[in-house]
Amino acid sequence: ARAQDELIVADQKGQQKALLEAAGVGHDLPYRIHWVEFEAAAPLLQALGAGAVDTGIAGDGPFLFAWGAGIPIKAAYVVPPRGGGHATAVVVAAGSGITSAAQLSGKRIATGRGSIGHLLLLRLIATGAIPAPAPQIVFLQPSQAKAALDTGRVDAWSTWEPYVSLETTGHNGHVVVDAAGLMPNNSFFVATEAALRNKRALLNDFYGRVTQAYAWGRQHQDQYARILAQQTGLPDAVAASVAERLIASPVPVGDDVVRAEEVTLDTYRDAGLMTPPGPVSSAFDRETVLP
Amino acid sequence: MNAISQPPANIIPAEHNSGAVTVQGLTRRFSNGPPVLDRLDLTIAPGEFVALLGRSGSGKSTLLRTLSGLDPVTEGHVSRPRDVAVVFQESRLLPWKRVWQNIILGQTGGKAGRERAGEVLEEVGLGHRGDAWPLTLSGGESQRAALARALVREPAFLMLDEPFAALDALTRLRMQQLVAGLWTRHRCAVLLVTHDVDEALLLADRAVVLESGRIRTDLPIPLDRPRRHDDPRFGHLRSILLDALGVHDDD
Amino acid sequence: MNAISQPPANIIPAEHNSGAVTVQGLTRRFSNGPPVLDRLDLTIAPGEFVALLGRSGSGKSTLLRTLSGLDPVTEGHVSRPRDVAVVFQESRLLPWKRVWQNIILGQTGGKAGRERAGEVLEEVGLGHRGDAWPLTLSGGESQRAALARALVREPAFLMLDEPFAALDALTRLRMQQLVAGLWTRHRCAVLLVTHDVDEALLLADRAVVLESGRIRTDLPIPLDRPRRHDDPRFGHLRSILLDALGVHDDD
Amino acid sequence: MSETTLRHTVHTARPVLTMKPHAKFQLRGWHTLRRYLSPVVLLLIWQIACSTGLLSTRLVASPTQIISTGWSLIHDGTLPVNLGVSLLRAVSGLSIALVAGIGLALIAGLSRTGEDIVDAPLQIMRTLPVLALVPLFILWFGIGETPKILLVALGSTFPVYLNLHKGIRSIDPKLLEMARTLGLSRGQTIRDVILPGALPDLLIGVRFAVGISWLMLVVAEQVNADSGIGHMMMDAEDFLRTDIILVGLFIYGLLGLVSDQIVRMLENRLLAWRPAQHRKGQPV
Amino acid sequence: MSETTLRHTVHTARPVLTMKPHAKFQLRGWHTLRRYLSPVVLLLIWQIACSTGLLSTRLVASPTQIISTGWSLIHDGTLPVNLGVSLLRAVSGLSIALVAGIGLALIAGLSRTGEDIVDAPLQIMRTLPVLALVPLFILWFGIGETPKILLVALGSTFPVYLNLHKGIRSIDPKLLEMARTLGLSRGQTIRDVILPGALPDLLIGVRFAVGISWLMLVVAEQVNADSGIGHMMMDAEDFLRTDIILVGLFIYGLLGLVSDQIVRMLENRLLAWRPAQHRKGQPV
Ligand SMILES: Nc1ncnc2c1ncn2[C@@H]1O[C@H](COP(=O)(O)OP(=O)(O)OP(=O)(O)O)[C@@H](O)[C@H]1O
Ligand SMILES: Nc1ncnc2c1ncn2[C@@H]1O[C@H](COP(=O)(O)OP(=O)(O)OP(=O)(O)O)[C@@H](O)[C@H]1O
Ligand SMILES: [Mg+2]
Ligand SMILES: [Mg+2]
């Protein structure tokens, strides 16, 4: 039995925690935050499903898959992308002649299965931005995709931050097309149904503090970039560029968010990747009220 | 199948007999060959010294295995004292224990163990090799170590499978005297497998010859001890035994 | 270290000698104990039959190991014919090959192999066990199989380490005759380790006794063949040998 | 000897044991069946735990659910196709691993120089996490079938090598000496003495290798794969399809059982030379 | 016997071999050094390939680069902390694995009923991909240290079990029979006959287990870990820090070498009973 005044928050790679601490909003809590870290979204969502944590951050793609698999979780708080989704993009290696989405037709493009990069490709194909013949999607983990792109085994890589910045800033590659306007690019603080029932006040307070932290991050972008660089070992230039694209203004889930994610869900369904168990609105919790 | 150091499931205490070895109608065959032991009967009284002779492959070791409880009794009936010691045809020393540790294996003697092992090793003429690893022993040395391991236990029934085969004449005499001495002091029943007719006549109360799975010759040796080769009855018994073994004592 | 079936690095062809076995000043010690073989000299002429006797642990097997090229020669000089066959004190049959396959191991006889094995197995009285797995053989049977494996090779130099120790009197006689027969036909040099003085006297041209690492007694046996126990010179030689072995022939 | 026996005979001067004949009935099939009793019992317990609600089926599917998912996967061809593709990769990789592992073990086991050259690098490589090596494999071998098969081969070479090497080193030196005095050639010694003598160890190595080859597929089939059992598992993992993951686990389990059974059959055949009473299970 | 010998003696009627004394010098340290010559040579080749541009350093860092990254990681404390944490997890998991593996192998090796109960489930579980088991472990054991240590334990139990089980089954039955006739108790038989007899196999199992325990950390430390060598590797992998990945691989390699050396020392000590000429390398 967990203490009623403790919130267990799952983090990916320590980024939210670092931001909260840097912003100084993690102090003077009337309850305790117990941070736990995960290497990726999948184990994080599994931990949520097992009830081992109360809330945690995940991209919309992985979250929708987990929800689609019947895991008792809901997205309670949205972290929208800043600048309309430039953080997800198709990049090519230095010296590539590909400059437009149309040129990607019939090419070999690496991405992670079920990732937002995958979603971007699906959207690009669905909207006709990449005309037929459809590109050949090569599923690879980021480090593998990087190796494949560098050796010319694939023509492009549909990926996300920090890889976009790494490829463009670090290795003189360039962005062919990004996700702006194509898809929501939301991240969510996902909570278990049990936590939403029993720890509503704590969650509301916590999400409020997240908002403050992001607000601090917007104002102190270089400071945030430094923290990021320190934490991830990314080169400073890359970290600065990542910070610029990642820092956003989290808000409670609204109708626009639900509508936007409906598109995402449809794309996945059309690609045969999942069968939603119910209306998309049932994946969201709309009762978060900032204190 | 599952028990270490537990007797086969079919060993039950025999109340009608007090320490004697009885084998009744024992039959043993391997897969579907002819029986190696064929309705064999043998009794060894407590304190009796029996020599078992027989051609190579006649089933002597098989009989010993059954008596030591290693092989199941599928046909017939076997009963024997509980405290036995066996010297197998091969020395079967644990290669990872030093010779002296092999001697007192399983003995709960405490500190005295090492000393006791030293004594009996001295007796078999291996005092200087007590600390050696068994794999460095010579053929005769391992055989003596195996003998020492059996003697140190002072069992109620001692089974010896050609324990002196790898020994030179002098060492063999000494070892024979050692076994005879233990037997005299301790009066255990002894079953000695040997190919040496003289050895049988020197040591045993009775010599039995195994042939085609049965005891064909059962020869009491009514000589007084200590026995000597030049006893006239010795030569007579000798030729009977050799005859039973198929050797004609003319060369 | 790295060569299978290759002779030790220090084996070089000897041009000055044609098939004789020569051991000069051979010294062998284990770790830092006293030498087991101590500046030992021994010559075996081609076609000579030598019996090697000695107390248990006197170094007989060690000498044989060195002669078979298994142990390095660190002090002294050894030379011997290339084609040897050894019967070790233990039978050393490959447990995963049937008896007949063990016999012709390494022989490139082709189809005739099986037949040849059958013949020699018949000779050692194991015709019926040719298809058996070695682990199911009795002690004497494995010894005979090992003997058969050596005999089938018809070597220029045959080394036998107590090859008859586990055999009953009759089988032993047969095997002795077999070795004698091979030797007569083939005139190979033979070195036979034995504890049986009578055996040495029956078979060998010369008996040597190993003691404290050296040949102390080197006794020619000038008896005509076939030899008989009742030859008066036999008794005389017998007591000389027993004396050399420390046994006083009075019992 | 058991205490019980002692208690029964305490009234006789000398405790005595009697051995009576016992009926030796042993149904051959029964023993094989008995082996699989405990997995079946575990399955039953699982099903019962699910049915009674002890185990939430939302988190772990019940065996019946898994079977029905499995059935539908078989029906729509997903499973057979994936299995077939993986089987081909596993078999190719395993074949390479067998050749390489046996070859290297022979080199290291038979000569000290060989051991010096071969052993240390292998001991080092053995501990490297394959996941981290995948980018290198892509670099060198591209994203086709080659890196997948080579990853399988890499992972399964080590158990073959390590176990066989140990097996060769613990062959009874007396038998090797014997082979030498018989003048056996190097090839004959390997064929007739070394490999048969090290066979039980080799079989353990192969057993491990078979298991590892399938595990490697989970890693290897992350690289540009759209079929294969590892791909199916990772896919399900990414999409949090626990029922498919469990079907996959079932298949892996089954594979374990099948390879186990095959190796047992091989053992029974190849180790037939052990006297009957010692062959199956432990004689003690 | 070699052809050369034959050629030289062809003029004598009977070919003859002479054995002359040979100097037996063997520097003890030299042999140990020689073992590590080939990894060092491989390193050198790698460095040269990088320096000459044969291998693009953008894709694979050169040894000198790796050393400098490693040095800075040591300096800022990242490496020591991560290593320490992982070491603790590995050692805890390994200890459990040793106890469980030896216990299960004894049960399966010593009684047929035990084998029937224990062996089949283990043969099944052995082949399950751990990655797929992580969710179950989270479910059962939460997200603390327990699931990590248990994952390590799970993975390393199998090699201990499988090798020891095989070792027990191939102990010379003659020795077990001897133990029985000597009236050794079950415990004495295990201690004096079975474990020493199966020791070489157990050591191989432990060798594997050590390797696997570290590999398991790569998986286990994906769950709620902010330190540990597996976490460090995964982190570096996610941020494409190839130099850190290679430092990690170096450490894994070193670990392989160290554990190898430890097991060798153990072997030399525990198998001292093998006659000297057969102990090191192969006697043939
Ligand atoms: N496990 C077995 N399977 C098949 N046959 C066997 C087995 N064990 C023994 N035999 C056969 O049974 C017969 C008797 O063997 P046993 O060992 O009892 O002979 P022995 O009288 O001791 O002979 P020796 O004097 O040569 O030691 C032999 O022919 C042997 O080959
Ligand atoms: N590897 C070894 N390490 C140490 N000592 C050894 C080794 N091998 C043999 N010895 C010792 O050397 C001596 C001679 O052994 P060897 O086997 O030659 O004796 P043997 O004359 O054949 O005796 P037996 O008649 O008993 O077989 C023995 O005392 C033996 O213990
Ligand atoms: Mg016998
Ligand atoms: Mg000897």
Side-chain angles (χ1 to χ4, degrees), chain E residues 91-114:
Chain E
V91 169
S92 321
L94 260 181
S95 316
I96 298 175
L98 270 179
V99 173
I102 294 179
L104 289 168
L106 283 175
I107 292 173
L110 298 184
S111 92
R112 195 166 289 177
T113 320

Side-chain angles (χ1 to χ4, degrees), chain A residues 42 45-46 49-50 62 65-66 69-72 108 113-114 136-141 143-144 147-148 151 153-154 273, chain D residues 58-59 131 134-143 219 222-226 231 234-235 237-242 245:
Chain A
L45 289 162
Q46 283 155 6
F65 287 128
I71 291 180
R108 300 214 287 182
R113 173 175 293 265
Q136 185 192 338
I137 302 182
V138 175
F139 293 115
L140 293 171
Q141 301 285 315
S143 61
Q144 303 166 1
T151 49
R153 312 266 185 195
V154 294
L273 292 178
Chain D
R58 224 186 36 218
L59 299 173
L131 214 59
V134 174
L136 281 182
F137 270 69
I138 291 179
L139 219 62
W140 292 329
F141 308 111
I143 48 176
V219 175
Q222 288 180 32
V223 177
N224 181 30
D226 45 15
H231 157 84
M234 290 308 295
D235 219 32
E237 175 109 6
D238 281 339
F239 300 131
L240 291 158
R241 285 289 304 270
T242 28
I245 294 180

Side-chain angles (χ1 to χ4, degrees), chain D residues 146-166:
Chain D
T146 323
K148 296 181 191 70
I149 290 172
L150 287 182
L151 277 170
V152 171
L154 180 77
S156 19
T157 297
F158 300 121
V160 174
Y161 166 79
L162 212 61
N163 277 293
L164 181 57
H165 182 199
K166 179 251 148 195

Side-chain angles (χ1 to χ4, degrees), chain A residues 26-110:
Chain A
H27 309 306
D28 318 321
L29 292 171
Y31 55 96
R32 246 164 42 92
I33 295 181
H34 181 71
W35 288 96
V36 294
E37 271 183 45
F38 291 87
E39 284 294 330
L44 186 151
L45 289 162
Q46 283 155 6
L48 273 167
V53 297
D54 294 321
T55 185
I57 189 159
D60 52 2
F63 159 67
L64 283 174
F65 287 128
W67 168 75
I71 291 180
I73 49 175
K74 278 187 159 71
Y77 204 62
V78 61
V79 182
R82 194 182 181 219
H86 298 292
T88 308
V90 179
V91 295
V92 291
S96 167
I98 299 173
T99 49
S100 73
Q103 279 171 286
L104 291 172
S105 156
K107 292 286 191 303
R108 300 214 287 182
I109 308 177

Side-chain angles (χ1 to χ4, degrees), chain B residues 220-242:
Chain B
I221 307 169
L223 304 179
D224 302 324
R225 290 185 168 87
R227 292 169 176 172
R228 294 180 57 82
H229 281 129
D230 45 18
D231 190 318
R233 285 171 301 168
F234 200 100
H236 175 62
L237 292 168
R238 192 165 189 267
S239 56
I240 296 181
L241 272 186
L242 282 176

Side-chain angles (χ1 to χ4, degrees), chain A residues 69, chain D residues 43 45-51 55-70 241-247 249-250, chain E residues 136 139-140:
Chain D
L43 264 187
I45 292 175
W46 178 359
Q47 177 64 53
I48 289 168
C50 286
S51 303
L55 239 160
S56 154
T57 50
R58 224 186 36 218
L59 299 173
V60 185
S62 74
T64 46
Q65 282 175 288
I66 294 170
I67 290 170
S68 94
T69 306
R241 285 289 304 270
T242 28
D243 54 339
I244 296 186
I245 294 180
L246 284 169
V247 171
L249 287 179
F250 246 67
Chain E
L136 285 181
L139 204 69
W140 292 331

Side-chain angles (χ1 to χ4, degrees), chain C residues 64 67-68 80 84-88 157-161 189 191:
Chain C
L64 248 65
L67 278 175
S68 17
R80 60 150 170 89
V84 298
V86 192
V87 176
F88 292 98
F157 178 31
L158 179 63
M159 289 174 261
L160 306 166
D161 200 345
L191 182 60

